[in-house]
């Protein structure tokens, strides 16, 4: 089985890889390879999904593209490695991928004991439940005794147990690693409920339910957890951590200033706003601080647009509204520290 | 001076030429240091790598609260139990499918293997299809296929379909076969049923012992005891005594319809069924072929001799052919048993919470990959070695004793 071996091989890589080689700077490795290796999900519409010709799209994919554009000058120089929930951290730890951009929640344990570093939040989410309409369940509080489908190695798995314990309810989990197998089991009626991030639920309901059957399933109103999703890098390479973090902040700041993929060139050459000139490298310095070309964020914006554009392109088709992910100035909590 | 040299030469000769052992020891020592050095290098490398990335190491995590739930368990377990207990739950689940799988695969395998030698054309063709088809279909595929079948709306209803006026009727009034599993009545949790179980185990033990005693007696005196009847009566009577002594409970726990599922009684999950069927049927095809060729290896003269003594075919097979075939069958059979146990790790594909599935989850939640993998390796290795040790002992025991 593929997944079993991936984990074993990745673990073996931790044992065998020579430390002098892998301690080398990630950015240098990416530049000499000419390619960014990005760990994504195995297929979650709106976040990372390959089409029939192997072209990846989604919010998480756009972040990979922005990074490649900022580091290498081209958003096409990315290799996507699909990773299941179980494989993702070992793949990152062992150096199989440079960065994990794959609806992964920031938590203390992951940020510390797993030897990872979270960069910034690209999507503020929370965990919900999906049930067949026929069950006539209106609230998660009515799920006492239910069988719940879930992927292993997720925060969802832990929140689920916490929520039921906190509400003195019981449940039986059905835990399957392959998203495809898990979806098949749920839509065949093996479980009464399905739980994961609300965004994941919306995507699964829309893209993976049997054809024309999406409306037979509803998402319950309760959000039982905080799931700040964002890219993750290995612990121990501060420069690369900074780059990933600031490319994301740069995309958010671009939205704050109204810089889009269509006006970025014009803004770069004619804007009088010193903040914009600094961000876009017209006034040099920021790129140098990051160890990148001064056109770093211009290249990223040209490739995928600002944060708002990325959002609008990928998420509304899932039927989700921007909510918490609106800019702080519009009532959301999406906020970038100053680029200066 | 010349004396000294010649004495030195002699010593050298002893070491190099006559001292084969010395040479061997030197080679062994060199090899040992090479392996130990290599192992140390890898260990050190791992430590440095883990430390550089600030990944936690050590086994203290085993005593922390796991925080995740497990679908089926033979011991009490909840998300507040420790990681160690979660891993134990996984180990027990692995053992249960492995032991059941080995037992069933052996029964089916022997049956099919004997049938493969049938003179009936249809029977021998059917068994040959069974063997060749199932042996060549990857076992992972078979497990997933079974899972798809037992959770498919095409073959089985859901629990909800039994609800209401026009609901389905359970089989025999109490057995519900659904996509969420098979729900059936079971003995109520009561010490009395435990008494019966102890009685049964004792009965089986005593009947085996009596059989053994009667063998010895027959060798000495030539007299035969009606072992079968004595044994059977122990097996039947002792559980009743145990049951009576412990209060003669009559409680049977029936599955009851709840909001989502049936509670009470016993449940067999689709994941368990899929894994058990997949492993058993795959292994049975190999075992059938091993049994078939084992039987073929017994010289036909043995059968003919039996026939000319006027023995029945069943007796010839059971008393003459199979015991001799067994000597050839045991070693390859052992490796099938080991294969089945190891293949049970594929259970993770359909979400049966076996050792691998739970270790993987633990690995992922704690990030302690080397530790989790080490535990898995130790458990599988010791299980395999124990099985192999037992089978080798049995193999020795049944070999011809040459006098
Ligand atoms: N945010 C949670 C859950 C993320 C997650 O992996 N969700 C699943 C279900 S939507 C998923 O994306 N699976 C995709 C895959 O396995 O490829 C976490 O980080 O643990």
């Amino acid at each position: 089985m593929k997944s079993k071996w991936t984990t074993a091989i990745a673990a073996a890589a931790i044992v065998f890889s020579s430390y002098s080689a892998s301690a080398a700077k990630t950015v240098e490795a990416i530049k000499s390879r000419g390619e960014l290796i990005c760990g994504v999900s195995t297929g979650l519409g709106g976040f990372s999904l390959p089409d029939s010709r192997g072209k990846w799209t989604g919010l998480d994919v756009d972040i990979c593209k922005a990074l490649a554009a900022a580091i290498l000058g081209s958003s096409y120089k990315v290799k996507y490695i699909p990773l299941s929930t179980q494989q993702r951290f070992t793949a990152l730890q062992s150096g199989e991928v440079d960065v994990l951009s794959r609806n992964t929640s920031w938590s203390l344990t992951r940020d510390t004991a797993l030897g990872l570093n979270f960069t910034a939040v690209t999507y503020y989410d929370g965990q919900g439940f999906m049930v067949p309409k026929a069950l006539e369940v209106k609230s998660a509080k009515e799920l006492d005794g239910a069988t719940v489908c879930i992927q292993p190695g997720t925060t969802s798995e832990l929140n689920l147990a916490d929520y039921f314990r906190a509400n003195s309810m019981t449940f039986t989990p059905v835990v399957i690693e392959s998203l495809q197998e898990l979806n098949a089991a749920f839509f065949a009626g093996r479980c009464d409920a399905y739980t994961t991030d609300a965004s994941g639920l919306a995507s699964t309901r829309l893209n993976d339910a049997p054809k024309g059957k999406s409306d037979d399933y509803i998402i319950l109103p309760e959000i039982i957890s905080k799931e700040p999703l964002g890219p993750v890098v290995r612990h121990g390479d501060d420069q690369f951590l900074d780059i990933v973090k600031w490319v994301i902040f740069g995309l958010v700041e671009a939205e704050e200033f109204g810089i889009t993929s269509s006006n970025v060139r014009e803004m770069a050459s004619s804007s009088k706003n010193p903040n914009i000139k600094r961000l876009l490298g017209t006034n040099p310095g920021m790129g140098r601080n990051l160890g990148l070309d001064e056109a770093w964020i211009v290249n990223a914006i040209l490739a995928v647009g600002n944060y708002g554009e990325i959002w609008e392109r990928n998420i509304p088709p899932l039927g989700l509204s921007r909510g918490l992910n609106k800019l702080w100035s519009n009532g959301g909590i999406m906020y970038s520290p100053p680029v200066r | 001076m010349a004396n000294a040299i010649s004495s030195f030469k002699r010593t050298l000769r002893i070491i190099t030429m006559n001292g084969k052992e010395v040479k061997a020891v030197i080679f062994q020592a060199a090899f040992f240091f090479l392996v130990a050095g290599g192992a140390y290098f890898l260990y050190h490398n791992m430590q440095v790598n883990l430390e550089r990335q600030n990944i936690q190491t050590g086994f203290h995590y085993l005593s922390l609260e796991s925080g995740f739930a497990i679908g089926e368990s033979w011991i009490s377990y909840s998300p507040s139990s420790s990681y160690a207990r979660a891993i134990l739950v996984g180990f027990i689940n692995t053992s249960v499918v492995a032991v059941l799988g080995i037992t069933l695969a052996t029964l089916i395998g022997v049956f099919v293997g004997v049938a493969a030698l049938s003179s009936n054309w249809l029977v021998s063709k059917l068994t040959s299809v069974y063997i060749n088809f199932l042996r060549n279909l990857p076992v992972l595929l078979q497990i997933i296929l079974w899972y798809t079948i037992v959770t498919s709306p095409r073959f089985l209803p859901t629990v909800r379909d039994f609800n209401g006026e026009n609901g389905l009727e359970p089989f025999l009034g109490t057995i519900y076969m659904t996509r969420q599993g098979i729900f059936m009545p079971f003995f109520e949790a009561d010490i009395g049923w435990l008494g019966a179980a102890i009685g049964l185990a004792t009965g089986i033990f005593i009947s085996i012992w009596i059989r053994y005693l009667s063998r010895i007696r027959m060798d000495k005196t030539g007299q035969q005891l009606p072992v079968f009847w004595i044994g059977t009566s122990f097996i039947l009577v002792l559980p009743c005594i145990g049951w009576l002594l412990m209060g003669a409970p009559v409680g049977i726990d029936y599955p009851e319809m709840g909001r989502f599922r049936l509670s009470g009684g016993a449940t067999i999950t689709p994941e368990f069924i899929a894994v058990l069927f997949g492993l058993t049927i795959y292994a049975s095809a190999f075992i059938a072929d091993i049994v078939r060729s084992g039987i073929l290896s017994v010289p036909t003269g043995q059968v003919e001799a039996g026939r000319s003594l006027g023995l029945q075919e069943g007796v010839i097979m059971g008393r003459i052919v199979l015991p001799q075939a067994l000597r050839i069958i045991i070693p390859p059979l052992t490796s099938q048993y080991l294969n089945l146990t190891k293949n049970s790790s594929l259970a993770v594909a359909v979400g049966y919470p076996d050792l691998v599935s739970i270790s993987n989850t633990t690995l992922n939640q704690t990030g302690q990959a080397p530790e989790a993998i080490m535990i898995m390796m130790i458990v599988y290795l010791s299980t395999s070695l124990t099985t192999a040790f037992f089978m080798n002992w049995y193999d020795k025991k049944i070999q011809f004793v040459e006098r």
Side-chain angles (χ1 to χ4, degrees):
Chain A
M1 211 187 131
K2 181 185 169 267
S3 65
K4 205 175 80 184
W5 289 116
T6 322
T7 314
I9 290 167
I14 297 182
V15 178
F16 288 100
S17 66
S18 96
Y19 41 90
S20 55
S22 62
K25 295 240 161 89
T26 312
V27 200
E28 248 95 275
I30 294 168
K31 282 183 180 157
S32 70
R33 193 193 301 129
E35 189 176 61
L36 172 80
I37 305 181
C38 214
V40 291
S41 82
T42 60
L44 188 64
F47 288 86
S48 45
L49 187 72
D51 67 12
S52 55
R53 284 178 326 228
K55 203 171 140 275
W56 288 84
T57 53
L59 182 135
D60 287 341
V61 167
D62 281 347
I63 299 294
C64 300
K65 289 185 178 168
L67 287 170
I71 300 169
L72 297 169
S74 162
S75 65
Y76 294 102
K77 297 184 174 166
V78 188
K79 184 168 154 196
Y80 298 97
I81 307 270
L83 297 168
S84 77
T85 47
Q86 294 273 44
Q87 300 163 335
R88 54 184 162 171
F89 299 129
T90 340
L92 180 60
Q93 287 163 342
S94 64
E96 196 185 330
V97 297
D98 297 319
V99 56
L100 192 66
S101 181
R102 183 206 173 286
N103 54 327
T104 297
S105 304
W106 192 339
S107 77
L108 187 147
T109 304
R110 289 177 178 175
D111 212 355
T112 56
L114 267 69
L116 308 174
N117 278 342
F118 281 77
T119 55
V121 178
T122 52
Y123 192 114
Y124 288 98
D125 207 347
Q127 183 174 340
F129 291 93
M130 169 163 66
V131 292
K133 248 190 202 143
L135 269 187
E136 292 174 3
V137 172
K138 295 279 174 290
S139 150
K141 293 258 163 59
E142 296 169 32
L143 286 176
D144 193 10
T147 302
V148 185
C149 272
I150 183 137
Q151 272 191 304
T154 53
T155 47
S156 332
E157 187 181 32
L158 306 177
N159 297 327
L160 173 68
D162 287 354
Y163 181 75
F164 275 74
R165 275 194 283 175
N167 289 291
S168 314
M169 305 194 295
T170 58
F171 73 101
T172 312
V174 171
V175 184
I176 303 182
E177 178 181 358
S178 149
L179 186 61
Q180 220 183 342
E181 290 289 328
L182 184 76
N183 290 343
F186 174 71
F187 290 115
R190 171 68 186 97
C191 302
D192 305 307
Y194 186 112
T195 186
T196 183
D197 306 337
S199 62
L201 289 181
S203 173
T204 305
R205 175 173 170 274
L206 200 69
N207 300 316
D208 305 303
K211 262 213 157 41
K213 288 281 163 63
S214 292
D215 289 339
D216 294 358
Y217 297 88
I218 55 162
I219 294 173
L220 300 179
E222 282 86 356
I223 294 292
I224 65 164
S225 72
K226 294 186 284 186
E227 306 292 332
L229 312 178
V232 198
V233 297
R234 271 183 298 284
H235 181 102
D237 186 345
D238 291 357
Q239 188 201 0
F240 190 57
L241 170 66
D242 288 342
I243 290 175
V244 178
K245 193 159 59 182
W246 284 98
V247 167
I248 296 166
F249 289 152
L251 295 172
V252 173
E253 183 122 320
E255 186 184 5
E256 293 182 14
F257 289 129
I259 306 168
T260 65
S261 51
S262 43
N263 70 11
V264 60
R265 280 209 194 283
E266 185 200 324
M267 288 269 212
S269 58
S270 63
S271 177
K272 301 268 182 310
N273 185 336
N275 289 307
I276 294 178
K277 288 167 99 172
R278 202 183 313 116
L279 175 65
L280 299 184
T282 322
N283 281 351
M286 298 301 113
R288 190 191 147 86
N289 288 346
L290 288 170
L292 297 177
D293 190 274
E294 293 294 349
W296 61 289
I297 204 71
V298 171
N299 288 339
I301 296 170
L302 277 174
V304 294
N306 64 34
Y307 177 75
E309 290 179 271
I310 296 177
W311 220 94
E312 291 304 322
R313 178 164 54 241
N314 296 303
I315 307 300
L318 303 178
L320 294 166
S321 57
R322 225 174 129 177
L324 282 181
N325 295 295
K326 285 190 192 133
L327 290 181
W328 60 284
S329 44
N330 294 340
I333 56 175
M334 198 47 83
Y335 180 100
S336 158
V339 176
R340 72 176 324 127
Chain B
M1 187 67 203
N3 223 345
I5 288 177
S6 83
S7 120
F8 174 72
K9 270 189 179 160
R10 206 168 53 233
T11 322
L12 207 64
R13 202 162 47 232
I14 289 172
I15 292 177
T16 50
M17 303 285 292
N18 308 342
K20 281 215 180 85
E21 301 85 8
V22 179
K23 216 169 169 182
V25 165
I26 291 173
F27 275 124
Q28 301 264 5
F31 187 67
F32 171 79
F33 281 115
L34 209 69
V35 171
Y40 176 76
F41 169 75
L42 292 179
Y43 175 76
H44 176 75
N45 203 10
M46 178 180 86
Q47 287 296 326
V48 173
N49 270 325
L50 292 175
E51 196 160 319
R52 184 173 46 78
Q53 287 179 31
N54 203 24
I55 297 177
Q56 206 145 75
T57 54
F59 288 94
H60 76 277
Y61 75 92
L62 286 175
S63 62
L64 302 179
E65 176 180 298
S66 71
F68 58 83
I70 299 178
E72 48 194 298
S73 168
W74 293 85
I75 55 176
S76 71
Y77 172 86
S78 81
S80 6
S81 306
S82 66
Y83 282 115
R85 197 168 179 89
I87 293 171
L88 181 64
V89 169
F91 173 65
I92 295 175
N93 283 342
T94 291
S95 311
V96 170
V97 273
V99 170
L100 255 177
I102 285 174
T103 314
L104 293 177
T106 310
L107 292 177
I108 300 174
V110 170
F111 182 79
V112 175
V114 171
L117 296 168
S118 164
S119 47
N120 182 320
W121 183 84
L122 188 65
V123 172
S124 84
K125 273 288 164 279
L126 277 180
T127 50
S128 138
V129 169
Y130 179 93
I131 293 175
N132 288 311
F133 182 67
L134 292 169
R135 245 187 355 178
N136 290 307
L137 216 55
V139 61
L140 177 60
L141 200 72
Q142 297 197 31
I143 292 175
I144 292 182
L145 202 67
W146 282 112
Y147 192 58
T148 312
I149 291 173
V150 294
T151 55
S152 165
R154 233 167 295 170
F155 301 107
L156 290 170
T158 73
V159 169
R160 258 172 284 137
D161 296 336
F162 290 88
N163 268 339
E165 293 281 284
N166 314 322
L168 297 170
E169 269 304 308
F171 184 58
L172 297 176
T174 53
I175 301 178
Y176 301 77
M177 306 236 244
T178 75
R179 315 209 277 279
Q180 286 104 326
I182 300 174
F183 301 85
M184 57 190 171
F186 199 69
F187 307 110
E188 216 163 50
D190 187 300
I191 188 97
W193 294 117
L194 184 69
I198 294 175
L200 181 68
T202 321
I204 292 174
F205 180 76
I206 290 182
S207 67
I208 293 173
W209 186 52
I210 288 179
R211 214 187 140 95
Y212 174 73
L213 285 186
S214 93
R215 271 266 179 83
I216 296 179
R217 198 178 118 116
M218 197 174 85
D219 284 349
K220 275 208 190 111
T221 65
Q223 283 175 312
Q224 267 184 312
L225 282 177
V227 252
F228 179 76
W229 295 112
I230 302 180
T232 313
S233 30
F234 269 107
I235 291 178
L236 289 181
V237 172
L238 283 184
C240 297
I241 296 179
W243 177 73
L244 280 171
L245 280 183
M246 302 295 237
V250 285
I252 298 275
D253 196 6
Y254 290 95
E256 253 175 81
M257 189 60 81
R259 167 106 200 233
F260 297 108
R261 46 175 304 177
L262 293 145
S263 52
T267 309
I268 308 176
T269 65
E271 292 78 29
F272 180 79
I273 297 173
V275 174
L276 184 67
F277 279 25
L279 291 177
T280 302
I281 291 173
Y282 181 71
S284 75
F286 283 91
I287 293 177
D289 200 43
I290 291 169
V291 169
R292 187 190 63 87
S293 52
I295 292 175
L296 280 180
S297 71
V298 175
T300 42
Q302 297 281 327
V303 179
E304 281 154 12
R307 285 202 186 121
S308 59
L309 282 176
L311 297 177
Q312 290 171 340
E313 288 299 319
V315 176
I316 297 176
M317 184 53 84
R319 288 291 163 89
I320 299 176
V321 179
L322 277 183
Q324 295 188 69
L326 209 55
R327 305 195 169 96
I328 292 162
I329 288 172
I330 293 296
L333 191 64
T334 307
S335 77
Q336 285 312 315
Y337 288 177
L338 298 181
N339 277 348
L340 189 144
T341 309
K342 285 179 286 184
N343 283 343
S344 74
S345 65
L346 296 169
V348 69
V350 293
Y352 176 68
D354 77 323
L355 179 67
V356 171
S357 155
I358 290 177
S359 301
N360 276 348
T361 300
T362 303
L363 179 161
N364 224 267
Q365 298 293 6
T366 60
Q368 303 204 250
E371 289 85 355
I373 287 178
M374 203 187 303
I375 293 175
M376 267 194 278
M377 272 171 19
I378 291 173
V379 172
Y380 276 108
L381 192 66
S382 38
T383 314
S384 292
L385 287 179
T386 315
T387 313
F389 182 79
F390 175 75
M391 294 299 281
N392 285 343
W393 167 81
Y394 184 62
D395 188 34
K396 280 234 179 64
K397 196 171 112 83
I398 59 165
Q399 291 304 333
F400 279 115
V401 184
E402 308 208 0
R403 297 176 221 240

